[in-house]
Amino acid sequence: MATVRPFSTPPPANLVKRIALAAVGLAILAIALSSCVTRVDAGHVGIKVKLAGDERGVDKSPTVQGWVFFNPLTEQIILFPTSVQNIVWTKDPHESNARDSSITFSSQEGVNINADVGLSFHIEPSLAPKLYGRFRKSDLMDLANGYVRNAMRESFNMQASQMPVQEIYGAGKGKLVENVAQRMQEQLGKDGFVIDQLTINGALRLPENVANAINRAMEATQQAIQAENRVRQVRAEAEQAVTQAEGQAKAARARAQGEADAKLITAKAEARSNLILKYSMTPSVLQYRALERWNGRLPVMNGGGAMPMLTFDASKLGKGGDDDEKKLLELLGQEEEMERKEAERAKDEKDGKADAAKAPDGAAPPAPAAPAEQPKK
């Protein structure tokens, strides 16, 4: 007879017990490990706080980003933000806080000035443990609305009290903001704050009477500037008219001088021509000219009668001796000398212009030729 055996035998009871214990141990280990590790995201640092032992308190060195292992029984990891934080203290309840959080400060005259202020800042990662250890807060907005805002109000009052209200309301607003940002950095930098940007949003708010007085003063200043510009324009037009009149007067004097010089040159030329004619008109020349122009016919008088030929006594005109001939030759020589000097002067001017065109930049042009000497009378 055949024997029937079971397909499988049940495992021993001790093996099942061991597997159950291993599963429970793994679960306990997983829970323990999950409580001993945390992740520090970008834009944060992990601050390790020791809860027991002789070194209780905040660890001075921040942990790195990423996964961090710690002992949950004796240590705690605080996530502290280091990214840029933006906050606005404004009078408008719809923009920031539900209440008026604008900043008020006083000028050199004691005038109260109200402004909406915006601030951008971040925390230096290496100083984050020190900041947390001092205030025990990881909420930067809470710190900004308390500690940072008080420091900013003090800086605004310190800097604005050294400036007149008209300067703050005008071109000095940028200087005020720059000085306040610098003072805040000096004051808060030791705690790890880095001031990225400080701004005054919108226009400054002044008492109505002060604002009206400043506006009137600025309007008067603008009118004075416009009046000064008109005076400058009138002065420039007057100077232009004077310059134009002086130019016209100089041109008129130059034309008159040119006309006078032309007349003088013409008169001198005519005088020399007359002298040449005077010394060249000897009796023999006159007789020759008369014979040269006679056509061989006797003049005819009215009535048909013949008029005797007109004659003149050449002896009474002068003999035309050696002195006249010498003077004539002297005058002719002077004319030739003047023409030669004039030709030389024109040639020198032409050569001088050519040399100036060929000369390199910065080289001195050749000296102009001396003017030709006038002949002596």
Side-chain angles (χ1 to χ4, degrees), residues 53-265:
D54 297 335
E55 298 180 355
R56 289 190 301 269
V58 178
D59 193 348
K60 295 182 180 180
S61 59
T63 59
V64 296
Q65 297 176 350
W67 292 102
V68 180
F69 293 92
F70 66 100
N71 184 0
L73 299 177
T74 60
E75 295 177 337
Q76 183 183 5
I77 301 298
I78 303 297
L79 299 181
F80 200 90
T82 57
S83 59
V84 176
Q85 307 293 316
N86 297 298
I87 188 170
V88 178
W89 294 287
T90 177
K91 189 175 183 180
D92 187 0
H94 301 289
E95 185 174 354
S96 181
N97 298 326
R99 57 184 178 83
D100 183 4
S101 59
S102 58
I103 304 299
T104 301
F105 50 91
S106 300
S107 67
Q108 191 177 41
E109 301 87 352
V111 177
N112 290 331
I113 304 173
N114 185 260
D116 297 337
V117 180
L119 178 66
S120 297
F121 69 95
H122 70 275
I123 304 300
E124 175 64 32
S126 61
L127 296 178
K130 178 182 178 181
L131 181 62
Y132 179 78
R134 180 179 179 185
F135 294 97
R136 292 292 177 173
K137 291 181 179 181
S138 60
D139 187 355
L140 290 184
M141 289 296 102
D142 191 12
L143 283 174
N145 285 316
Y147 176 61
V148 176
R149 187 171 184 272
N150 291 336
M152 186 179 61
R153 292 177 59 185
E154 179 186 2
S155 298
F156 264 107
N157 279 300
M158 289 293 295
Q159 298 299 323
S161 63
Q162 304 174 15
M163 302 173 63
V165 61
Q166 189 168 357
E167 182 179 356
I168 296 174
Y169 193 70
K173 183 170 70 172
K175 179 181 178 182
L176 173 64
V177 172
E178 181 180 356
N179 293 340
V180 170
Q182 182 178 359
R183 178 179 173 83
M184 288 183 62
Q185 184 60 56
E186 294 174 355
Q187 183 177 357
L188 303 179
K190 59 182 180 230
D191 293 324
F193 287 91
V194 178
I195 305 300
D196 296 305
Q197 187 179 26
L198 178 67
T199 59
I200 292 180
N201 301 337
L204 297 173
R205 290 182 285 270
L206 302 176
E208 185 176 359
N209 59 337
V210 177
N212 292 335
I214 292 177
N215 290 331
R216 287 194 297 269
M218 294 176 65
E219 184 178 357
T221 302
Q222 292 297 325
Q223 292 176 354
I225 293 175
Q226 293 176 1
E228 185 178 356
N229 291 335
R230 287 195 296 270
V231 170
R232 290 178 181 175
Q233 182 179 0
V234 172
R235 186 183 297 116
E237 292 176 354
E239 292 177 354
Q240 183 179 3
V242 170
T243 303
Q244 185 176 2
E246 289 178 352
Q248 294 176 354
K250 289 181 180 179
R253 286 194 296 269
R255 286 195 299 270
Q257 184 66 35
E259 293 174 358
D261 291 343
K263 290 180 179 180
L264 180 60
I265 292 173

